[in-house]
């Protein structure tokens, strides 16, 4: 039983060893395409993050100016904590 199992196991390992390199060579273009796709997505995400940061800064500045004018007009003004 053990000899039979060992023989089948060795054949299985040899079969996998023969099949594995062919799959590895075929996967290289797919891997490069995936890496390039991820690079493009990363660039888009970084660009979007920059746009979001700019919009948040613009809104913060607008709020600051509005508070400034409100306090000059005699309105209720509480500075941020």
């Amino acid at each position: 039983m053990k000899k039979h199992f060992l023989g089948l196991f060795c054949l299985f390992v040899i079969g996998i060893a023969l099949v594995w390199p062919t799959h590895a060579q075929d996967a290289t273009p797919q891997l490069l395409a995936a890496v390039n796709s991820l690079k493009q997505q990363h660039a888009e995400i970084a660009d979007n993050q920059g746009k979001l940061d700019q919009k948040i800064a613009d809104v913060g500045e607008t709020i600051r100016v509005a508070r400034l004018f409100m306090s000059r007009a005699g309105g209720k003004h509480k500075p941020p904590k």
Side-chain angles (χ1 to χ4, degrees):
M1 176 78 178
K2 286 186 179 182
K3 289 182 182 181
H4 184 66
F5 177 73
L6 185 60
L8 288 176
F9 182 73
C10 287
L11 286 175
F12 177 73
V13 169
I14 291 171
I16 294 295
L18 291 174
V19 172
W20 185 261
T22 59
H23 288 297
Q25 291 173 355
D26 293 339
T28 303
Q30 293 174 350
L31 180 63
L32 291 176
V35 168
N36 288 334
S37 174
L38 287 174
K39 284 182 182 179
Q40 289 175 349
Q41 289 177 1
H42 179 68
E44 289 175 10
I45 290 171
D47 186 43
N48 288 341
Q49 184 64 40
K51 290 177 184 177
L52 287 173
D53 290 341
Q54 183 62 39
K55 287 181 181 181
I56 290 171
D58 291 344
V59 168
E61 180 65 17
T62 302
I63 291 172
R64 187 187 70 81
V65 169
R67 285 182 177 167
L68 181 70
F69 282 120
M70 189 64 168
S71 66
R72 287 184 182 174
K76 191 174 185 179
H77 171 69
K78 294 181 182 177
K81 294 181 181 180

